[in-house]
Amino acid sequence: MRPGEVQSDVSGTRVASSLERIRPCVRRYSFRLVGGLVALLIVDLLQLGIPRLVKRAVDLLSQGAASQTALAQSAFAIFALAVGIASCRFVWRYLILGFSRMVERDLRDDFFRHLLTLDRPFFQKKPVGAIMALATNDLAAVQLAGGMGVVACADAAIMGIAALACMAYISPQLTLIAVIPMPLLALLTRVLSARLHRRFVKVQEQFSHLTECARNTITNIRLLKAYTQEAPQAEVFGRLGRQYQQDNLRLARVHGTLFPISGLVGNTSLLLVIFFGGRLVVGNVITVGDFVAFISYLYLLTWPMMAVGWVANLFQRGLTSLGRLDEVMNAKPTLVDPPHPLPFPAGQTEIALRTLHFQYEGQEQPALAGVSCTIRAGEIVGLVGRSGSGKSTLCHLLARQYPVADGAIFLNGVDVNRLSLGSVRERVAYVPQDVLLFSDTVAANIGFGNPAASQEQIEGAAKICRIHEEILGFSEGYQTRIGERGVKLSGGQRQRIALARAILLDRPMLIIDDSLSAVDLETEQEIISGLADFLPGRTCLIVSHRIAPLRDAIRIMVLEEGRLLAQGNHAELLASSDFYRTMYHQQQTQSHREEDV
């Protein structure tokens, strides 16, 4: 088998897989599609009747047998057909275009729901801009193919066959002459459609880059302004825009070739019909009315010929976009529930790590290497270490955001891989290092995980996090809208609101991943002390790059290069761990210098 044949087989398999994706949607709304196609068929059949009426009127005029009554009857019949065509055209537009919109909606819902099942590794590989492009531009291309593409294809097929049949009825000889240029159109369409596919893929990929650049720029606009990088960033966006424009122009050249060629073939057929058909009229082989009707049918056939290029373009775009969507829909989460998950064990939550190893994809060194420890139920444990020592990785694993090997993490004596993801995650209140807030009110952000929370409960969580008084100082208090990603707040305010959100969840495990780094040392100590009334009975892991706020923790674990270097309370570690002691003294010295300044 030649390489081209292998590629063709693979492409065919992908197309079949992509089409299989929309089959449930098509089946669900098949009644609309069938009803629309029936209305379209009626339109085409009614259109075929008009040339027959014109033929009758022309023959009567050419024979001198026309009367006002006969001509009025023909005019009324044509008007009645026109009204029927307009009515049925409205019906098929409503049904078929509505069908395409419903398919688009269901695909978008399925796409969004599937995105919610995917985990961190997928989103680390797929830029947000690319996903946004799929949810907008690509879905629009699928909708256009499923709407106007289906209409144009069905209309061209029905009208083409019917018009040819009517033309053949009038004159088989003239019909053969009229279709002589059509094989050329079929050949060129086949050749150009392959180019159309490749260039549309390039256009969609470039649109993804453009969308990602715009998203990244808007998200980081403050940083760009702080570093006076507006002009360079505008140049990057402009360069991507120019490339997108060039890709579209290359695509337009192919599309622009298809449509004129289709028109050229149609007009060539018309030229042949006028030349040879005129001779048939002169020779009395066909009547003048037959000749006029034949040209009318040829005009009806011209649309199917011209539609070949447009339909090919729509379907190639739709199939390309559907294939791009299918790639994401076929992505599988790395974390899945076990076939027969065990019920979550009762009682307060104890965490046990047994020689825990973890390595990120593409990284040479493990992020965690052989970590073993136990965090007893109701215990408050601090976690310290240099940047890159594995602290956040451990938090991610405990929050079940990455897969782990069997026998590495146990909750109440049960391997986490034997528990459902939902049963573990719904027991963990996790405050990530990178705080995420929504463009909504302060109250909505704090109550995000617990929409039924009362105002009193929301304020109680804010008080624990030492942010209540500052919120009251906002223009509208708890109803103040904080902007995109909390842009109106300081870093420390964002972190404390995120912590209040986790506290309001009232879950048995609390993981705070260096989420107070933007507040001053005194406030951080006050918050951790304030957690004392909230934490009894809950297992808590507090990550901090500062040791001082964790001095009162029952136990402190020290990570270095992914290994558990030491553990104990503050006094024990000062006495037994040179690494911990050095870290502590360095931070104390730095703190004194800052106070002196």
Side-chain angles (χ1 to χ4, degrees):
M1 184 177 289
R2 294 188 299 272
E5 294 175 335
V6 174
Q7 185 176 4
S8 177
D9 289 344
V10 173
S11 177
T13 302
R14 288 175 179 171
V15 168
S17 173
S18 299
L19 291 175
E20 189 66 28
R21 179 74 57 193
I22 65 172
R23 180 173 295 179
C25 301
V26 174
R27 189 182 299 116
R28 192 175 302 130
Y29 307 114
S30 58
F31 72 95
R32 295 185 67 96
L33 181 60
V34 172
L37 291 176
V38 169
L40 180 61
L41 175 62
I42 294 173
V43 168
D44 289 342
L45 293 177
L46 292 178
Q47 284 181 305
L48 295 172
I50 293 178
R52 300 297 302 172
L53 294 171
V54 172
K55 164 188 159 46
R56 177 174 175 271
V58 170
D59 282 340
L60 288 174
L61 288 170
S62 64
Q63 296 168 5
S67 66
Q68 291 186 354
T69 301
L71 292 177
Q73 289 175 345
S74 297
F76 179 78
I78 292 174
F79 176 75
L81 289 178
V83 171
I85 290 170
S87 301
C88 290
R89 185 165 285 157
F90 168 79
V91 172
W92 74 247
R93 281 180 174 273
Y94 175 76
L95 292 177
I96 296 182
L97 297 185
F99 160 82
S100 69
R101 289 298 181 183
M102 290 177 178
V103 171
E104 178 191 17
R105 179 198 63 194
D106 287 359
L107 278 178
R108 181 177 286 110
D109 290 346
D110 291 344
F111 181 72
F112 189 76
R113 279 195 295 268
H114 183 69
L115 284 178
L116 295 177
T117 68
L118 300 176
D119 39 33
R120 287 179 69 101
F122 171 82
F123 293 103
Q124 288 174 335
K125 297 176 184 176
K126 197 77 171 177
V128 175
I131 297 174
M132 291 170 61
L134 288 171
T136 53
N137 217 29
D138 286 283
L139 271 171
V142 173
Q143 182 272 325
L144 195 58
M148 290 307 301
V150 169
V151 169
C153 183
D155 190 30
I158 296 170
M159 183 59 69
I161 294 171
L164 281 172
C166 292
M167 291 163 63
Y169 177 78
I170 294 173
S171 174
Q173 178 186 358
L174 193 56
T175 303
L176 288 174
I177 294 173
V179 300
I180 286 175
M182 291 186 183
L184 174 63
L185 176 61
L187 177 63
L188 288 174
T189 300
R190 180 177 177 83
V191 172
L192 292 176
S193 291
R195 294 185 181 180
L196 197 68
H197 171 74
R198 291 194 299 270
R199 294 188 180 183
F200 187 66
V201 168
K202 182 66 175 175
V203 165
Q204 294 299 77
E205 290 176 349
Q206 191 62 27
F207 182 77
S208 297
H209 298 324
L210 193 67
T211 305
E212 174 63 15
C213 179
R215 183 204 65 82
N216 206 27
T217 300
I218 295 171
T219 301
N220 300 291
I221 188 66
R222 290 185 297 174
L223 181 64
L224 288 169
K225 288 184 173 295
Y227 281 72
T228 60
Q229 292 297 301
E230 297 94 334
Q233 191 66 14
E235 175 57 31
V236 170
F237 186 79
R239 186 166 61 250
L240 290 173
R242 288 189 294 273
Q243 184 62 49
Y244 180 62
Q245 176 194 14
Q246 292 172 6
D247 291 338
N248 267 291
L249 288 175
R250 282 193 284 267
L251 176 65
R253 281 198 290 270
V254 179
H255 183 219
T257 302
L258 271 173
F259 199 80
I261 288 177
S262 301
L264 177 62
V265 169
N267 288 324
T268 302
S269 295
L270 178 61
L271 174 65
L272 293 173
V273 167
I274 291 175
F275 180 76
F276 290 100
R279 297 178 64 179
L280 293 176
V281 173
V282 172
N284 293 321
V285 177
I286 60 175
T287 67
V288 175
D290 286 332
F291 183 61
V292 172
F294 193 95
I295 291 178
S296 298
Y297 286 127
L298 183 61
Y299 272 117
L300 293 178
L301 184 62
T302 301
W303 152 243
M305 287 191 290
M306 297 181 67
V308 169
W310 189 51
V311 169
N313 177 37
L314 288 180
F315 280 151
Q316 283 292 353
R317 285 172 177 254
L319 286 173
T320 300
S321 293
L322 191 58
R324 282 163 48 84
L325 287 163
D326 200 46
E327 288 180 10
V328 175
M329 296 295 287
N330 287 331
K332 304 296 182 184
T334 55
L335 276 167
V336 294
D337 286 333
H340 305 288
L342 298 176
F344 197 92
Q348 296 181 357
T349 306
E350 179 180 274
I351 304 170
L353 310 180
R354 299 288 180 263
T355 319
L356 174 61
H357 288 269
F358 183 80
Q359 186 169 343
Y360 290 104
E361 183 179 350
Q363 298 293 321
E364 296 182 359
Q365 299 297 324
L368 293 172
V371 176
S372 297
C373 67
T374 298
I375 303 176
R376 291 181 291 274
E379 191 174 25
I380 302 175
V381 175
L383 185 63
V384 298
R386 292 194 181 100
S387 296
S389 61
K391 303 186 299 297
S392 292
T393 298
L394 179 57
C395 293
H396 293 157
L397 297 182
L398 291 176
R400 298 296 281 138
Q401 295 189 2
Y402 290 96
V404 295
D406 292 340
I409 301 178
F410 294 83
L411 298 178
N412 286 359
V414 179
D415 189 338
V416 292
N417 287 335
R418 302 190 65 189
L419 301 170
S420 68
L421 294 173
S423 68
V424 176
R425 289 173 177 168
E426 68 185 8
R427 285 170 172 78
V428 178
Y430 175 48
V431 191
Q433 191 173 25
D434 298 324
V435 171
L436 297 175
L437 298 178
F438 298 95
S439 181
D440 207 331
T441 64
V442 175
N445 272 279
I446 295 177
F448 173 72
N450 185 6
S454 65
Q455 182 65 26
E456 184 179 357
Q457 290 173 313
I458 291 174
E459 292 181 6
K463 289 175 182 177
I464 293 175
C465 299
R466 302 298 190 270
I467 188 67
H468 174 68
E469 296 299 329
E470 293 179 45
I471 293 174
L472 293 181
F474 295 161
S475 58
E476 298 180 51
Y478 281 85
Q479 297 307 311
T480 302
R481 304 189 73 86
I482 61 176
E484 186 72 25
R485 299 173 67 91
V487 67
K488 296 181 180 180
L489 306 176
S490 68
Q493 289 171 334
R494 289 198 296 270
Q495 288 184 334
R496 283 175 285 167
I497 287 175
L499 179 58
R501 179 170 60 196
I503 288 174
L504 192 62
L505 290 176
D506 194 22
R507 292 178 175 176
M509 283 188 286
L510 176 63
I511 300 175
I512 304 174
D513 181 13
D514 203 11
S515 305
L516 295 172
S517 58
V519 302
D520 58 83
L521 178 60
E522 181 180 352
T523 303
E524 184 178 9
Q525 288 176 322
E526 289 180 3
I527 293 171
I528 294 177
S529 298
L531 289 173
D533 295 334
F534 168 77
L535 291 176
R538 294 175 175 81
T539 305
C540 181
L541 179 65
I542 303 177
V543 176
S544 179
H545 68 281
R546 296 183 291 205
I547 294 176
L550 302 176
R551 285 181 299 184
D552 296 330
I554 297 174
R555 185 154 50 100
I556 301 173
M557 298 192 300
V558 183
L559 281 180
E560 175 64 10
E561 295 183 349
R563 299 183 182 276
L564 183 58
L565 195 64
Q567 58 180 319
N569 60 38
H570 179 65
E572 291 170 345
L573 289 173
L574 283 177
S576 62
S577 173
D578 293 337
F579 180 83
Y580 181 85
R581 186 167 51 249
T582 300
M583 275 186 62
Y584 179 69
H585 288 318
Q586 287 177 344
Q587 290 182 9
Q588 288 294 99
T589 302
Q590 180 65 28
S591 177
H592 292 322
R593 287 176 181 172
E594 291 175 356
E595 289 176 359
D596 292 340
V597 173

